[in-house]
Amino acid sequence: MALFLQQVVNGLVLGGAYVLVALGLFLVFTALHIPNFAHGEMFALGAFLQYAFVVGLGLNFFLSIVLSAAGVALVGALLEVGVFRRLASRTLVAVLVGSLALSIVIQELLVLVWGKDVLAVPSPISGMMSIGAVRVTNYRVFIIAVVLAVSALVGWVVYRTNYGKQVRALAQNREVAELTGISVKTLGTLTFAFGAGVAGIAGALLAPTVAVESRMGFHPTLVGFMILVIIGGGGRMVAVVLGGFGLAVIEMMAGSYVSDTAQGVVVFALLVLFLTLRPEGAIRQRATQKVTL
Amino acid sequence: MSTPTRDAQDDAKSATEIQRTDDHGARDGTEHQRSKRSKPWLWDDFGIRFRWRAAIAAVAAVAVIAIGSSANSHGQYVITSVLMWALVASCLNLVFGLAGQLALGQGAFLTLGAYIGVLGTGRFGWNGWLSLAVAGLAAGVLTWLLGAVIFRARGLYFALLTTGLALVAYEVAGVWTPVTGGTAGISTSGPIELGGAAKPLTLEPITIEEPLDYLALGAVLLASLCVAVSVIRRRKTGASWRAIREDEVLAASVGIAVAREKRIAFVAASVTVAMVGVIFGHWLGYILPENFTFAGASFGPLAMVVIGGSGTVVGPIIGAMVVAGMPEIFRDLQELSTFAYGAILLLVMLVMPAGVMGLLRTVTNRVTGRSRRNPQEEE
């Protein structure tokens, strides 16, 4: 039982990364209909920037999180203007292959700048706490708290602000949204930057707990898409958060109860099984095709 | 690609037209009322005539073998590697280029074929024909069953589903140690502990052993596959696939059995790629899960097809030359070769989404100042 609870807690920490990566992916996919396979690289970039700020420049850890997120958001905005706007006007194939190519380019750039070695970022909070039989470092508790706070913030932005209203309008019907006077181009850039920034926060936040290397974004991206697929149409953002934590816990359980190697394969196996059995998502889609916020 | 609906109508129309001409057995006939081209001995209504296509393929194969036999061993390795990947990409071209299904799981069937081939020779002492048959049959049965459910997922979801397949195959190859040798790999001479030299691929009456043999086999197979693809493209099957690629609903409306045709394309691509896997495994002689990563074995061929020009016969070969030849071009700048690969691919998607062949066609059309009524892609 202790092991079980311990794995649940570990899963929640890992899930933090999944939730924040998936939130940005979900936002960009629903609003702009761009399946961005390079989204995980925003997560990786966040972690690398955090390394540069904390270890390289010796800045305060929490200030660095904000700076990293801002940096990643800027990169996201540039990518939207330079790459995705062009790709999105073409076919799904172009977006898919183009974004995978972009992820290769970003990974190689990360290697060119920071090298191939795994980087370590020191944790700013030390100490441990025990909750019953479960022992968890304070920093991990901090991660879970921040992830929940950022998720709530994203939810607030999307459902309570004027910007969020425009994004939801865009998600529901691009043409009509344009007719009502929404500047679709600006909104697209903003949304892309917003999604990238959230992934950047995840990268910066989790940098002390994961191995920081150029390929670290691939797995969270796939998990993010897995979550998109599971909630399918008609899903709300709460479902993304629950799905992210849920999948991470399942992954951890497979790792500890089946075998270490099963941890990697279980998500993909679930993805195949799920798409085979319920290609329309867990919640039967009400609208014909489009996923809406 | 500019006017998908018109293309779709054209493809759908040609699908029905081909059926009609097929019924009259006039497909290869000499008299065509509509044919106003000046050289009827070279072109018929469906592009270059079959005998010329076959001749071009044969000459190209002989030329490649001739170049290969005069090259040093490193040169032979590079040529063979390009040939092998061109084969894989051409198989993928069937389901992705022609039928328009974003199948990212080719690596899974390449892995399956390679392991069956290596195990067949190394552990069970099968001859090459048996390995090829078993690999093809296994992939065929698997994809036929999968085909019953897999196409319920479309577009992005289909791409994700097949990505999942490739990743599962890669993980299984690494985890199922008793059979696949795990991450340590396995060779054509059986389990690693026993050692021994790699065993040849015995395709009675010939035995494929030397590097040059694999090069020749690859060249001949690639030439045959290209001719086969060019024939499929001109027949009803190929035209139906292209109609499905452009617009599924429209294709269904002219009487194309969309579900069945997609399944056939998927099975054809997987069976051929599994058989290529048998040869690929033997050529390597020693296979590791690392030979079949998602980036290399599944996304790589897709990149080749896209760079060369999807749906064309020669496109995948051009793509394979670019992608598999890249490490050679950037030999002095090893660390830059992957970067260049990604950058070129991204550039292709941004600037010329129809690939090298699409660019060539645009240039030719502009130079000759003609736009063909029913565009049949170049040979």
Side-chain angles (χ1 to χ4, degrees), chain A residues 24-25 28 36 39 42-43 68-69 72-77 79 190-202:
Chain A
L25 200 67
V28 169
N36 179 12
H39 191 71
M42 301 295 112
F43 171 69
S68 305
V72 176
L74 182 69
V75 171
L79 286 179
L190 273 179
T191 309
F192 220 94
F194 187 43
V198 173
I201 293 179

Side-chain angles (χ1 to χ4, degrees), chain A residues 41-55:
Chain A
E41 272 53 50
M42 301 295 112
F43 171 69
L45 187 62
F48 275 93
L49 284 179
Q50 183 74 0
Y51 174 82
F53 288 135
V54 172
V55 179

Side-chain angles (χ1 to χ4, degrees), chain A residues 5 18 49 134 207 291:
Chain A
L5 286 176
Y18 293 171
L49 284 179
V134 181
V291 186

Side-chain angles (χ1 to χ4, degrees), chain B residues 116-187:
Chain B
I116 286 180
V118 169
L119 282 173
T121 304
R123 193 165 287 180
F124 311 123
W126 292 347
N127 76 19
W129 295 115
L130 185 59
S131 296
L132 282 175
V134 171
L137 198 69
V141 170
L142 194 64
T143 45
W144 183 253
L145 293 176
L146 268 174
V149 285
I150 203 169
F151 288 111
R152 292 168 65 195
R154 282 159 199 246
L156 172 68
Y157 289 0
F158 183 77
L160 282 171
L161 177 47
T162 45
T163 303
L165 274 182
L167 290 168
V168 169
Y170 168 73
E171 295 282 345
V172 167
V175 173
W176 199 11
T177 315
V179 175
T180 63
T183 45
I186 196 163
S187 83

